[in-house]
């Protein structure tokens, strides 16, 4: 039977061996995440709001019907007040909606065509990811690495905590739209180990390394 000291020595050596191949250190990972990841601070509008607006994909607009969409109109007004989008110009409202402008005269005769101003109460710019109901509502920064999980000798997943500072305008948007979905407080990114050590998988791919 081996002496107890020998057993403990083996355990310690095994732990060291595992640690050496267990991914980047937390401090190293955090430094690379803060330098290489552009944190997204987007909120998402409730589904019922999105179901009451009309996307104008060709002309990059979002419109709210004149009648029967009071909550959606209040929500769009709140987004305008917060600077999340901008009202479309008067000339835009005098033009036909996308779905009419692209239709043939045999499908929609000229006498049945109405400008946006007669169909919609307001149209705003379809900026950034607003087409998916998302808008910037917070300033976000990687704060602390929570866990490093090595999937093999050269790949690891790093789970980290994000410091999410919600913008003051969000309260008014919640009141008008219903509670929006906040940015997540945690995120996970992949790391790979190359000839120069551990790095973000996205950076390694951009440099021509193994993803």
């Amino acid at each position: 039977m081996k002496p107890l000291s020998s057993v403990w020595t083996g355990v310690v050596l095994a732990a060291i061996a595992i640690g050496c191949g267990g991914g980047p250190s937390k401090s190293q990972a955090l430094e690379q995440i803060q330098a290489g990841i552009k944190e997204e601070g987007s909120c998402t509008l409730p589904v019922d709001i999105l179901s009451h607006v009309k996307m104008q994909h060709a002309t990059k607009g979002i419109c709210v019907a004149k009648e029967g969409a009071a909550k959606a109109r209040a929500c769009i007004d709140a987004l305008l007040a917060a600077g999340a989008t901008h009202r479309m110009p008067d000339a835009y409202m005098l033009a036909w909606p996308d779905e009419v402008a692209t239709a043939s005269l045999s499908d929609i005769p000229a006498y049945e065509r109405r400008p946006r101003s007669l169909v919609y109460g307001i149209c705003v710019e379809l900026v950034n990811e607003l087409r998916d109901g998302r808008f910037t509502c917070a300033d976000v920064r990687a704060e602390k690495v929570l866990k490093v999980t090595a999937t093999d000798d050269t790949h690891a997943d790093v789970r980290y905590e994000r410091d999410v500072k919600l913008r003051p305008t969000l309260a008014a948007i919640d009141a008008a739209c219903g509670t929006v979905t906040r940015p997540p407080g945690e995120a996970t990114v992949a790391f790979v180990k190359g000839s120069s050590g551990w790095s973000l998988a996205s950076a390694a791919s951009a440099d021509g390394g193994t993803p």
Side-chain angles (χ1 to χ4, degrees):
M1 185 174 181
K2 291 183 179 181
L4 185 59
S5 59
S6 299
V7 174
W8 278 112
T9 299
V11 171
V12 171
L13 290 175
I16 292 174
I18 293 173
C20 291
S25 68
K26 288 185 175 182
S27 59
Q28 178 190 12
L30 181 61
E31 181 180 352
Q32 292 198 38
I33 291 169
Q34 289 178 338
I37 298 292
K38 184 178 180 181
E39 299 294 343
E40 183 186 38
S42 295
C43 287
T44 305
L45 295 172
V47 174
D48 66 313
I49 294 296
L50 295 177
S51 66
H52 284 87
V53 298
K54 181 68 174 181
M55 299 293 178
Q56 302 282 286
H57 294 291
T59 54
K60 303 289 190 290
I62 302 178
C63 299
V64 181
K66 274 182 170 292
E67 306 292 337
K71 185 175 181 180
R73 174 59 191 267
C75 181
I76 293 297
D77 286 343
L79 292 175
L80 279 170
T85 184
H86 301 88
R87 185 187 288 266
M88 295 298 265
D90 292 341
Y92 184 83
M93 300 303 292
L94 295 177
W96 290 330
D98 288 4
E99 61 273 18
V100 174
T102 56
S104 66
L105 288 173
S106 59
D107 292 330
I108 304 178
Y111 62 84
E112 290 185 1
R113 297 177 179 232
R114 296 182 296 166
R116 290 189 182 93
S117 60
L118 295 181
V119 180
Y120 303 114
I122 189 173
C123 291
V124 298
E125 293 180 14
L126 188 60
V127 295
N128 301 324
E129 296 177 310
L130 200 52
R131 69 175 63 248
D132 299 320
R134 293 194 290 168
F135 62 97
T136 301
C137 65
D139 298 306
V140 181
R141 182 176 182 273
E143 181 73 11
K144 179 176 65 176
V145 169
L146 301 173
K147 187 178 183 181
V148 177
T149 304
T151 54
D152 58 36
D153 290 342
T154 58
H155 295 81
D157 292 328
V158 175
R159 185 82 175 168
Y160 66 98
E161 183 179 307
R162 308 194 323 155
D163 178 31
V164 180
K165 288 185 168 58
L166 298 174
R167 296 182 176 177
T169 52
L170 189 57
I173 295 174
D174 274 340
C177 306
T179 302
V180 303
T181 302
R182 268 61 169 163
E186 296 181 5
T188 300
V189 291
F191 274 72
V192 296
K193 188 177 183 181
S195 58
S196 57
W198 289 97
S199 62
L200 285 164
S202 55
S205 297
D207 291 339
T210 303

